[in-house]
């Protein structure tokens, strides 16, 4: 029997409120966003970006540990790749470069020499895509090959013109790169590895469609519905009612369970107007796991655990990383990651 079927057997429908306590949190000071991602072994990887964070770096919170352990310091702004398998650090200065790390071990995977301002960057397998803003020139999309750990790679495999507003990433199958930013004339796509322009499928332009980070799925917002669809065909698998103020953060492996970030107030910056729900797309059951100012959130592969980073309403720059687990009775319970 599938793990999810066993885990959720006998679950109770309804919304259950959980206000996580300090015993279920790890608190840090950071002006930058604090990002979280479950690893394959169900431990939690925490990325605290620099430069304004007090203790920037990559941390790992094992399931049987009380607090996370620091894996390495990262001195420059950094983010996860779209597939959440790589951490990309943007090093500025007289010799700017991208540094790529394994999020689970912090091992340096490679370095790429760049020039110009990096608008966006993504990694998929052995390829790295970088969108650059160059002086007195249009934006440029560059495709690099596998970087070498101890040397700096500067070999460009392909180039393409890109707009000045970029929110791009590799498709889940790695065969194309898509820029979802609509302010430069609509979503655009390029074939990998040539970066030849390709036409977007009709279903991708119907409503607002983007990839779900760390998954093989795409999410589509249309009217007051949110759909989870397969890539590349676009066939909807699940559809639920959702306001335009709801954002799907991540999905379980099967696409059935997700974590929804709700901006319930008219002003999304109002901390008290935000909340986080674990959601079963098959039954449309939603379980509230957090309220407050949410930075980022993640769900594990089976859909049984949710983690998030939230900002304190009382202490400036104070961020707490917290967990919730959905048990067999359908209740959300606070946990510090212990088994």
């Amino acid at each position: 029997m599938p793990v999810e079927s066993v885990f959720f057997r006998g679950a109770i429908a309804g919304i259950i409120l959980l206000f996580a306590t300090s015993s279920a949190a790890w608190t840090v000071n950071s002006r930058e966003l604090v990002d979280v991602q479950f690893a394959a072994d169900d431990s939690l990887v925490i990325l605290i970006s620099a430069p304004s964070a007090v203790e920037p770096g990559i941390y790992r919170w094992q399931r049987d540990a009380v607090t996370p352990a620091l894996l390495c310091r990262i001195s420059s702004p950094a983010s996860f790749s779209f597939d959440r398998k790589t951490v990309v650090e943007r090093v500025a200065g007289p010799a700017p470069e991208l540094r790529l790390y394994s999020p689970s071990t912090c091992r340096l995977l490679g370095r790429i020499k760049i020039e110009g301002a990096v608008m966006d960057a993504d990694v998929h397998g052995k390829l790295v895509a970088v969108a650059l803003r160059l002086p007195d020139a249009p934006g440029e999309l560059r495709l690099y090959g596998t970087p070498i750990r101890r040397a700096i790679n500067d070999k460009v495999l392909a180039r393409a013109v890109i707009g000045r507003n970029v929110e791009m990433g590799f498709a889940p199958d790695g065969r194309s790169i898509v820029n979802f930013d609509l302010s430069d004339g609509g979503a655009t796509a390029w074939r990998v590895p040539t970066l030849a322009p390709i036409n977007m499928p009709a279903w991708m332009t119907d409503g607002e469609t983007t990839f779900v980070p760390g998954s093989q799925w795409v999410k589509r917002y249309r009217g007051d519905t949110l759909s989870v669809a397969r890539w590349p065909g676009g066939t909807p698998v699940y559809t639920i009612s959702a306001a335009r103020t709801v954002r799907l953060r991540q999905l379980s492996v099967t696409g059935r369970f997700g974590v929804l970030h709700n901006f319930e107030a008219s002003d999304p910056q109002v901390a008290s107007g935000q909340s986080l729900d674990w959601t079963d797309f098959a039954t449309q059951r939603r379980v509230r796991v957090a309220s407050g100012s949410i930075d980022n959130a993640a769900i594990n592969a089976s859909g049984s655990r949710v983690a998030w980073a939230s900002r304190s309403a009382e202490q400036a720059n104070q961020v707490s990383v917290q967990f919730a687990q959905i048990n067999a009775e359908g209740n959300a319970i606070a946990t510090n990651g212990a088994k």
Side-chain angles (χ1 to χ4, degrees):
M1 182 178 294
V3 173
E4 291 174 339
S5 297
V6 173
F7 186 85
F8 292 99
R9 181 162 44 95
I12 299 174
I15 296 178
I16 299 145
L17 297 179
L18 166 72
F19 297 95
T21 64
S22 58
S23 63
W26 177 65
T27 302
V28 295
N29 290 318
S30 175
R31 289 177 55 191
E32 304 293 335
L33 293 179
V34 176
D35 208 348
V36 292
Q37 175 65 35
F38 282 101
D41 65 354
D42 224 23
S43 63
L44 187 71
V45 176
I46 304 168
L47 174 61
I48 304 177
S49 185
S52 60
V54 175
E55 296 181 325
I58 300 176
Y59 295 75
R60 191 163 186 175
W61 198 345
Q62 299 288 353
R63 289 202 61 166
D64 57 353
V66 177
T67 58
L70 174 67
L71 296 181
C72 67
R73 297 287 187 204
I74 291 182
S75 58
S76 302
S79 59
F80 284 100
S81 59
F82 221 91
D83 63 9
R84 314 291 285 183
K85 295 180 179 179
T86 308
V87 170
V88 182
E89 180 187 16
R90 304 178 184 183
V91 181
E97 64 182 36
L98 296 181
R99 294 176 185 168
L100 312 179
Y101 299 88
S102 163
S104 59
T105 65
C106 219
R107 182 171 67 92
L108 180 64
L109 302 175
R111 303 158 63 194
I112 296 177
K113 179 182 178 180
I114 57 172
E115 71 274 0
V118 176
M119 296 186 286
D120 207 352
D122 196 24
V123 182
H124 190 282
K126 297 181 178 181
L127 296 174
V128 182
V130 184
L132 294 170
R133 181 176 290 123
L134 305 173
D136 304 318
E140 184 172 90
L141 175 63
R142 295 182 182 178
L143 190 67
Y144 295 84
T146 306
I148 301 173
R149 183 180 180 185
R150 291 180 175 84
I152 298 180
N153 179 31
D154 60 358
K155 183 178 180 181
V156 180
L157 301 180
R159 304 171 189 259
V161 175
I162 198 168
R164 299 186 67 83
N165 299 291
V166 179
E167 184 184 351
M168 63 96 182
F170 284 93
D173 58 9
R175 296 181 179 179
S176 60
I177 299 170
V178 179
N179 177 24
F180 291 106
D181 195 293
L182 303 179
S183 57
D184 282 326
T188 50
W190 300 266
R191 192 179 310 281
V192 173
T194 62
L195 292 188
I198 57 177
N199 294 325
M200 298 283 285
W203 66 268
M204 283 284 289
T205 60
D206 182 16
E208 178 188 344
T209 303
T210 56
F211 301 134
V212 180
S215 79
Q216 298 295 310
W217 308 87
V218 296
K219 57 183 184 290
R220 187 187 330 182
Y221 303 93
R222 184 181 181 188
D224 291 324
T225 64
L226 168 61
S227 298
V228 174
R230 297 187 185 277
W231 177 266
T235 303
V237 179
Y238 302 110
T239 298
I240 66 171
S241 299
R244 296 290 295 173
T245 54
V246 171
R247 282 293 176 263
L248 174 60
R249 288 294 192 182
Q250 284 194 11
L251 286 166
S252 64
V253 169
T254 64
R256 173 176 174 177
F257 306 106
V259 56
L260 297 182
H261 190 174
N262 309 289
F263 297 89
E264 297 168 343
S266 57
D267 180 1
Q269 299 304 315
V270 177
S272 61
Q274 297 185 36
S275 61
L276 204 66
D277 291 350
W278 172 92
T279 301
D280 183 343
F281 278 82
T283 64
Q284 302 202 22
R285 184 167 63 91
R286 293 169 66 164
V287 176
R288 182 138 304 169
V289 296
S291 296
S293 180
I294 310 295
D295 262 6
N296 282 294
I299 192 168
N300 68 349
S302 67
S304 61
R305 301 177 72 214
V306 174
W308 66 93
S310 60
R311 294 192 170 271
S312 170
E314 292 78 27
Q315 299 292 327
N317 303 327
Q318 188 178 88
V319 181
S320 294
V321 177
Q322 298 169 272
F323 287 96
Q325 182 165 321
I326 314 301
N327 63 17
E329 287 73 40
N331 298 315
I333 57 176
T335 172
N336 65 351
K339 295 180 180 178

